[in-house]
Amino acid sequence: MKKIYAFLILAFGCMSYSYAQINVSGIVVSDVEKVPVPGVSVYIKGEPKGAVTTDFDGNFKIKAQQNEGVLVFSYVGFQTKEVSFSGTQKLTVSLKEEVSTLNEVVVVGYGSQKRSDVTGAISSVKNENFNKGVVANAGQLIQGKVAGVNVVAASGEPGANQDIIIRGVGSLRSGTTPLYVVDGFALDNSGTGVASNPLNFINPQDIESIEVLKDASAAAIYGARGGNGVIVITTKKGSKGQNKINLSMTTGVSTLANKVNVFSADEFRRQVAAVNGNLQDGGASTDWQDELTRTGVSQNVNLSMSGGTEKSTYAASLGADNQQGILKNSDLKRYSGRLNLTQKALNDKFNIAFNMTATKLENSRPDARGVVGSMLTMNPTDAVYVNGQLNTNLSNDAVNPLISQRIYSDETVNNRILANISPSYEIIKGLTYKFNLGVDYSMSERDIQVLPYTTNTNTTESTLNNITTNNSNTLYENTLTYNFNVKAHNFTVLAGQSYQKTQINQKNYNFRGFPDNGVEPKNQIGAATELRSKFSTAVENELQSFFGRLNYGYDNKYLLTATLRADGSTKFGTNNSYGYFPSVALGWNITKEDFLKDSETLNNLKLRASWGQTGVQEIPSKKTKTSYTESINGYDTYPLDPSATAVGDYPYGSIYTRLANPDLQWEVSTQTNIGLDFSLFNNRLSGTVDYFNKVSDNILLEVTPVDPIQPASTYWTNIPNMEVVNNGIEVALDYSSDKSKDFSYSVGGNVSFTKNKVKNSPYKILTTGAAQGGGQTNATINGVINGQPIGSFYMLDFTGIGADGLNQFADTNGDGSILDNDRIVAGSALPDYVYAFYLNLKYKNFDFGANFNGAGGNKIYNHVAMTSFNRGNLANSFNTTDRASQYLNEASTNSNTVSTRYLEDGSFLRLNNATLGYNLSPKTIGLGDVMDNIRLSVTGQNLFVITKYSGYDPEINTGTPVSEIQSFGIDYFSYPRARTIVFGLNVAF
C-alpha cells in the first residue's frame, strides 16, 4: 500500500509539473512598418538559458514553468523590450528601431566609451561590415573601411605582408606598422619567424570588432609604441540569454586575375626576326603564365559556440583554414582554437575575464620571383613536355621552371598561444582595480631547401637553410579606474602601471651538398657535405610604463580627455631611458545645446579638437650598446709571436662593430586634430570630417660618421631638426534607409587626402628602394629627399631613343653631360588620396553588398619591365612585351638604365568584393525545430580593377629595402593577385 501511495504522489507531482508548463507564443514586428522581425532573442526574465529566436516570419514559441512572467526581447539594431505574459496568450510585440550609433560602445585603450563621449579620432568597424571572402588576417578585413587608413598587400600571396599606413608615413627606419592590441594585449610581431604576415595567426572569424586609434589623443595611452597608430582587435564574447551554435563552411576558387601581355609564340617568332635576333625555335606554342599558375582551391570550416547566464558567459570556436595560392607550392593552412570566458562573483563586484587563442600555422611559399620571372620571360616556342616527360632541352640552357618548382620548397610551421586573464574587483562604488596578466608564446621552424638536380647542361646543388625561432612576450598590468558624478559633472579617472618583456631566440644553419637519394635535405641533415654557415641570436627587451587618463564631461555637452604616459625602454640609451607622451582633447556636443536639442533634422553634431604626442621605438635591439668582433685584418691583430710568418698566425684582435650611444631616444610624433561628427534625418545620414597635422621628429637612422676616422663604420642616432610632416583631410559619409521594410539599402564611402613632406634633412637622398640585377644593382630608384614626400622617385628623365639607338635623357642642369646630378624627382610612391565606397541592398531574404576601393596620385616603378622587357632580351630569345619594340631604331645593346621610362601611373579603382546572400528559413525544409537560420552566399573578390598600370596589379610593393629603410611602390616580379569566387554556407542552431 505504501508503494502505491508513493507512486500516486510521484505521478501527481509529475502531472502538476506538466500542468505548470505553458507555451507562450506570438509574433515580433517592427514599431513603424509593422513587418515581422526574424532572429530576435526571446527569453523569460531570470531564465536566459531557455532562450529562443524568432523565425523568418517573426514567430516565436517558448515554454514557461509559471503561469505568469516577463519576456525579454532583444535584437541588434532594435531597443530591448520587456513584456509581461499571463497564461497561454498569443502576444504581438513591436520593437523600436535603434538607428542611432551614439550609444554604441567603442573600445579604447584600457577601457571603452560611448560613441557620444569620444573626443579622439577613432574609427570602429564591426564584424558585419568586414570585407568578405578568402581572408587571412585582420588587415584584409578593414581594407577600404576606414578613412585615413591605407592597407596595401605586398603581393598576391596568401597571407602576404601588408603596409598599413595610418595618416601617412611618419617614420623612416621603423616602417608603417601600427601597434596591434588584441583583447587588451599589445603584440610584438618583430621576431615570430614567420615570413608571411604575423597576424595570420588570428582567425578572422573570431574577431568581433576592430578599432583604429588614429590621432595622438586616442593613441597616446600607448605612448612609445603609438606613433604609427594603434589597431585594437576585440574577439567575440558570449552574451547572457543567447546560447548559440554556429557552423560556417566556405569553398573558394582562385585564378590569375590579370595576365601581362607578353608575346604569344607566333608573335614572338615575328618580333625576334624583326629585331634581327637569334631565334631559338622549339616548335611549340606555350603560355607559360598558364603553365606556371593553377586554380587554387581554398576551404574554411569554423564552428563556434557562445552563451551565458547573468553570472557567466562563454564563447568558444574551432577553425580550419586551407588557402591555396595560384602558384604551386603556395599554401597557408591555419588550425585555430579560441576560448573566451567571463565570471562574476561577490554580488557582481568581482569579475574575471579569460581570453585564449591557440594556432598552428603551416605556410608553404614558392620562389615567387623566380617563378614569375619564368612566366614572363620563358621562350613561348619551347615545349613543356616531350614524350610525356618534362622537357629538359629548353632554349638558353634554361631549367624547366616546372622542375624548378618541384625541387624548391620554403616551409614554415608556427605554433602560437596568446592568452590573458583579467580579474577585477570593485573596491567601493565606482572604484575598480584590475590586474591583467598576458602571455604570447610563438615557436616556429622554417626550412628552405633545394633538391639536387642534374642535366647535361645544368647542375643544381642541394641546399638547406634551417631557421628556428622562439618568441616570448609577457605582460603584467595594474589599473585603477574610478567613475563618479558630482551633479552634472561626470568623471572617469584611470591610473595604471605596465611591464612587458619580450625575448627572441633564433638559430640559423645553412647546409649544402646532399645526396640525390630521394630523401629531402631537411630529413637528412647529417648527410650534408658542408655546413656553410651557422648563426644564433638572442634578444631581450623590457618596457616599463606608467600612465593616467582623465575623462570629464559636463551635462553631456562639454567633454575633456587628458592622457599622460611615461615609457621606459631597454632599447634606448641610459641618458634617455624614459619618454613622456601627453595628450589633451576637447569635445562639444552641440546638439545638446538649447538652440539645437529640439531639432528634428539635426540629430547629432559634435566638434572635436585634440593635441598629443606618441612615439616610435621599433628599432633593432642593443643599438645603444657597444659591440665588438674579432678580426685579423690589417692592424687588428696582436703581433706577439716573433716566430709568426703570416698575419694569420697572430692572435685575433677585438674591434668595434658598433659604438655606444647613451643619448639615443624615441622618435616623437606630435599630432593636432580637428574633427566634426554629425547625423541627420533621424540618424539616417551620418558622417565625420577630420583635419590632421602630424609632425614626426627625432628621426632614428643608422648613419655613417662625418669624421672619417671612426672605430665603427656606422652608428645609430637621432637626426637633429629633421621632420616628416603629414597633414590632410578625411571625410566619411553613410546613409541607411528604413531597415524594417522589405527593401532597404545603405550606401556610403570615405576619402582621405594626405600630403607628406620631409623637412630639414641633412642628406641629399636616403635611398629607400634600389634596383636589382640587370647591371643596375643598387642603383637608386626612390628615397627620402628634403622637401619631397617619402618614397619620391629620383631618376633620370627619359626623353626617347637617339639616332644611335641608345637612351636619351634630359640634361636638367644644362651642363652638356648626362650624369647623376641630372636626376629629378618624378613623383612619389605614396598616393595623394585613397578612397572607398560601398553599396548594400536587402530585399526580404536576399541581400547584396559591394565594396570598392582605390587610390590616386601615386607612381609605380615597373622593375620587371626594366629587367626583362627590353630589346636585348628579345634578340636573345627571351620573351617580352611590346615595350621591347616600342622604338624601332633602338639598339639591342641599349642599357636598361633606371629612369622615368619604367615609371607608371599607380592610380586604380578596384571592386574589392561583392556578396550575394540568401537567408533560407529552416521551416521551409522541415528543419525548423533543429536550426534557427541557414544562410547561403557567393562572394567575388578582386572582380575587376581599372588602372593604367601594365603589370599584374597596381596595389603592390616588392622592392628591397636599403639599410632597412622601408621601400614603397616598386614592382619586382611580384606574386600576382588572384580573382576568387567563394561559396559559403552558414548554419545557426
Side-chain angles (χ1 to χ4, degrees), residues 148 160 235 274 278 346 349 377 401 413 433 566 622 679 720 756 758 806 902:
T235 59
N278 176 27
L346 303 178
K349 289 188 175 182
T377 63
V413 176
Y433 164 75
K622 308 175 184 178
S679 59
N756 179 281
V758 177
L806 303 180
Y902 308 104

Side-chain angles (χ1 to χ4, degrees), residues 57 165 424 524 637 648 694 719 829 872 936 953 977:
D57 298 318
I165 304 173
S424 64
Q524 54 169 345
T637 62
K694 181 171 70 173
I719 309 301
L936 305 170
D953 197 276
R977 193 179 290 262

